[in-house]
């Protein structure tokens, strides 16, 4: 029997089910899956689960320009501890990632600092070079309403040409779907006020408009948050969708106040329940964190001034694994939404334990539950909206065959690279 470079043995999730077997790894890729394999390096995890590493298709690592909130080193370390071996970073940094030059600069930063693999989104802006940006980016991101950063495109008529250019690149157009003209600008004192300014219709109308305006594009609707939006994203050809843990686990009645101020807003309990139900039924393609760190001082400003967004890249997988353990979510749904679909939609060989895929793996001990504590997390922002919530953090994590987390602690060398090239 030919020896593999690395062999990982355990209860592996292969072709939709768990089986006790070995994953043979050569050159960072899965080369063979068999009952018994020998390797120069062997890792035996007994009955622990071996799952594909997760891809978080929506993070804001703030680098460059807002590194007081986060940078690529801290954000990607948080990702790794949370079982996320690949992240797609959003373009609302400073400068925004809307030019090939800015894209290349960010790529240098991420290549030097990232603990996990990454893709970079290009921001949509009138006059941008879509063909040039497509070569460097994982996809395009469009902001239809004002939020953190300066990438607002208030009217889709101003970007007709850019939309056609994106369509011809074949890249995904990911959309922050809130309609700027529907957004109210009343002073806000609490989460209820924030929700009133950004109503369910504000999201529904934006989704309707972008579906109409971007017919030729592969559309991806980010962070769907309202019950009334669900019918607009279900079973639509060329359209995929995403939901965040915060929109299925928290609602406007949260006592977290400003910490839970996010865009789109946390909505009513009935929205949250409808989203969770839809999630279980497989309506959404992806669960992504929308990891949007801000410093605690910024978050403690008066409600109206406090920035929107919360961190989540490290807590997403652990909380969702807890839901699998509690039987609120099937393991197959977890793997599909957090591992497989991001890879399929964005065209990268990640998210499956199958020959030819990157050997990104998380090893999970389902009996080892923990309580989430901000003190134990790795984002620079230092806080979490999920303090005290139960989670199952990965016992070990491999990135392209390299052991990066062992016994819940960091071991590997920094090796993150761009999935686009
Ligand atoms: O709450 C949010 N925060 N929503 C966004 O769309 C942007 C994000 C951020 O970058 O802070
Ligand atoms: Zn957004
Ligand atoms: Zn976002």
């Amino acid at each position: 029997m030919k020896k593999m470079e690395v062999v990982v043995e355990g209860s592996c999730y292969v072709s939709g089910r768990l089986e006790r077997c070995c994953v043979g790894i050569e050159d960072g890729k899965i080369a063979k899956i068999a009952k018994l394999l020998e390797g120069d390096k062997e890792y035996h995890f007994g009955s622990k689960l071996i799952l594909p590493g997760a891809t978080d298709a929506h993070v804001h690592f703030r680098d460059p320009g807002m590194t007081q909130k986060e940078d690529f080193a801290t954000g990607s370390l948080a990702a790794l501890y949370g079982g996320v071996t690949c992240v797609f970073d959003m373009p609302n940094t400073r400068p925004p990632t809307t030019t090939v030059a800015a894209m290349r600069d960010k790529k240098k930063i991420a290549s030097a600092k990232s603990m996990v693999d990454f893709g970079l989104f290009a921001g949509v802006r009138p006059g941008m070079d879509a063909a040039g940006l497509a070569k460097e980016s994982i996809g395009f991101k469009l902001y239809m309403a004002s939020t953190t950063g300066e990438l607002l495109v208030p009217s889709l008529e101003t970007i007709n040409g850019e939309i056609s250019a994106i369509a011809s690149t074949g890249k995904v157009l990911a959309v922050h779907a809130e309609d700027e003209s529907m957004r109210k600008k009343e002073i806000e004192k609490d989460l209820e006020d924030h929700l009133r300014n950004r109503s369910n219709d504000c999201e529904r109308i934006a989704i309707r408009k972008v579906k109409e305006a971007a017919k030729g594009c592969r559309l991806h609707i980010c962070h769907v948050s309202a019950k009334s939006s669900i019918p607009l994203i279900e079973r639509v050809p060329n359209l995929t969708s995403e939901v965040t843990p915060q929109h299925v686990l928290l609602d406007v009645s949260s006592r977290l106040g400003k910490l839970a101020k996010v865009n789109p807003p946390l909505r009513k309990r009935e929205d949250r329940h409808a989203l969770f139900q839809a999630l279980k039924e497989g309506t959404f393609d992806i669960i992504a964190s929308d990891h949007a760190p801000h410093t605690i001082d910024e978050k403690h400003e008066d409600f109206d001034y406090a920035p929107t967004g919360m961190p989540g890249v490290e807590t997403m997988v652990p909380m969702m694994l807890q839901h699998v353990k509690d039987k609120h979510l099937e393991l197959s749904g977890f793997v599909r939404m957090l591992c497989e679909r991001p890879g399929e939609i964005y065209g990268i060989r990640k998210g499956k334990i199958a020959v030819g895929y990157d050997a990104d793996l998380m090893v999970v001990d389902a009996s080892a539950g923990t309580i989430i504590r901000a003190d134990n997390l790795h984002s620079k922002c230092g806080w979490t909206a999920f303090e005290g919530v139960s989670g199952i953090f990965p016992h070990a994590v491999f990135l392209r065959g390299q052991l990066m987390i062992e016994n819940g602690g960091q071991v590997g060398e920094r090796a993150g690279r761009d999935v686009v090239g």
Side-chain angles (χ1 to χ4, degrees):
M1 189 162 47
K2 180 178 169 286
K3 259 196 173 179
M4 297 273 142
E5 285 169 21
V6 181
V7 167
V8 179
E9 187 250 353
S11 180
C12 303
Y13 189 86
V14 179
S15 306
R17 62 190 192 90
L18 290 170
E19 59 177 299
R20 197 64 186 265
C21 66
C22 295
V23 180
I25 301 166
E26 301 247 89
D27 207 15
K29 292 196 188 314
I30 298 172
K32 201 165 184 184
I33 299 165
K35 277 271 164 267
L36 281 175
L37 287 173
E38 285 178 7
D40 295 328
K41 282 190 199 155
E42 293 187 10
Y43 302 93
H44 297 276
F45 292 107
S47 59
K48 292 191 177 64
L49 308 186
I50 316 281
L51 306 177
T55 291
D56 189 342
H58 189 153
V59 303
H60 300 265
F61 279 175
R62 310 299 193 202
D63 205 350
M66 289 175 278
T67 51
Q68 76 282 8
K69 300 176 194 273
E70 190 78 285
D71 71 10
F72 238 100
T74 50
S76 65
L77 184 64
L80 190 63
Y81 271 99
V84 170
T85 44
C86 182
V87 294
F88 299 159
D89 186 58
M90 287 298 167
N92 60 340
T93 35
R94 284 200 197 116
T97 326
T98 51
T99 63
V100 172
M103 181 68 78
R104 290 193 179 141
D105 284 345
K106 189 190 267 195
K107 202 167 281 199
K108 273 194 207 129
I109 293 169
S111 303
K113 294 187 183 176
S114 192
M115 300 295 296
V116 299
D117 285 350
F118 58 88
L120 304 178
F121 273 101
V124 175
R125 191 171 249 187
M128 64 163 185
D129 169 13
L133 286 164
K135 291 198 197 93
E136 311 274 338
S137 65
I138 191 73
F140 289 87
K141 175 71 185 283
L142 168 65
Y143 288 91
M144 294 176 69
S146 168
T147 187
T148 309
E150 307 125 26
L151 283 174
L152 168 66
V153 178
S155 160
L156 296 179
E157 277 109 67
T158 62
I159 53 161
N160 279 331
E162 288 75 8
I163 289 176
S164 325
I166 292 169
S168 38
T169 69
K171 292 267 173 177
V172 172
L173 175 59
V175 186
H176 180 114
E178 291 188 281
D179 187 73
E180 183 66 10
S181 66
M182 299 272 304
R183 183 170 78 85
K184 296 205 193 93
K185 292 159 189 97
E186 305 295 320
I187 288 177
E188 300 177 2
K189 286 196 212 58
D190 53 28
L191 292 174
E192 296 273 357
D193 291 346
H194 188 57
L195 174 56
R196 219 168 288 125
N197 275 341
R198 293 170 175 259
S199 65
N200 289 25
D201 273 353
C202 189
E203 180 172 274
R204 192 174 55 80
I205 302 291
I207 298 175
R208 213 184 64 203
K209 283 187 181 171
V210 77
K211 277 169 73 177
E212 188 57 36
K215 281 209 172 94
C217 291
R218 298 174 60 209
L219 269 186
H220 177 73
I221 307 297
C222 295
H223 43 49
V224 174
S225 63
K227 181 180 175 183
S228 48
S229 302
I230 295 171
L232 277 82
I233 52 103
E234 266 174 323
R235 290 181 288 277
V236 181
N238 264 332
L239 181 144
T240 53
S241 64
E242 161 194 304
V243 73
T244 72
Q246 49 273 30
H247 290 107
V248 295
L249 300 176
L250 302 172
D251 59 47
V252 68
S253 71
S254 165
R255 289 158 187 263
L256 290 162
K258 299 170 244 188
L259 295 186
K261 183 185 178 193
V262 294
N263 291 335
L266 300 183
R267 300 191 188 274
K268 298 198 172 129
R269 199 163 65 156
E270 74 173 279
D271 291 286
R272 172 162 72 82
H273 286 176
L275 291 177
F276 208 138
Q277 191 54 35
L279 174 121
K280 285 193 209 175
E281 288 166 5
T283 301
F284 304 111
D285 293 273
I286 290 180
I287 302 178
S289 73
D290 197 2
H291 178 79
H294 297 286
T295 66
I296 195 71
D297 289 347
E298 292 164 331
K299 280 301 239 184
H300 280 154
E301 286 176 35
D302 283 349
F303 192 97
D304 204 43
Y305 292 99
T308 53
M310 64 168 66
V313 71
E314 190 168 355
T315 48
M316 171 172 69
V317 161
M319 288 195 299
M320 289 300 141
L321 282 174
Q322 183 69 45
H323 281 283
V324 172
K325 186 177 178 188
D326 295 343
K327 304 211 179 327
H328 301 149
L329 180 65
E330 303 223 32
L331 181 62
S332 59
F334 170 93
V335 174
R336 191 179 65 249
M337 291 183 279
L338 287 154
C339 313
E340 295 171 355
R341 290 299 282 147
E344 286 169 2
I345 293 169
Y346 289 93
I348 56 171
R349 304 276 278 172
K350 285 186 179 290
K352 283 184 198 170
I353 301 184
V355 171
Y357 278 71
D358 282 356
D360 304 332
L361 304 169
M362 63 169 124
V363 182
V364 173
D365 178 352
S367 64
T370 337
I371 301 296
I372 293 171
R373 299 277 174 227
D375 281 353
N376 299 331
L377 300 176
H378 300 84
S379 166
K380 197 180 277 189
C381 77
W383 61 276
T384 173
F386 301 107
E387 184 79 26
V389 173
S390 301
I392 300 172
F393 285 80
H395 166 83
V397 178
F398 291 82
L399 176 68
R400 284 181 275 101
Q402 190 188 337
L403 185 62
M404 300 296 291
I405 299 280
E406 187 178 28
N407 281 324
Q410 191 202 330
V411 289
E413 294 294 308
R414 191 180 305 278
R417 65 184 189 207
D418 188 0
V419 295
V420 175

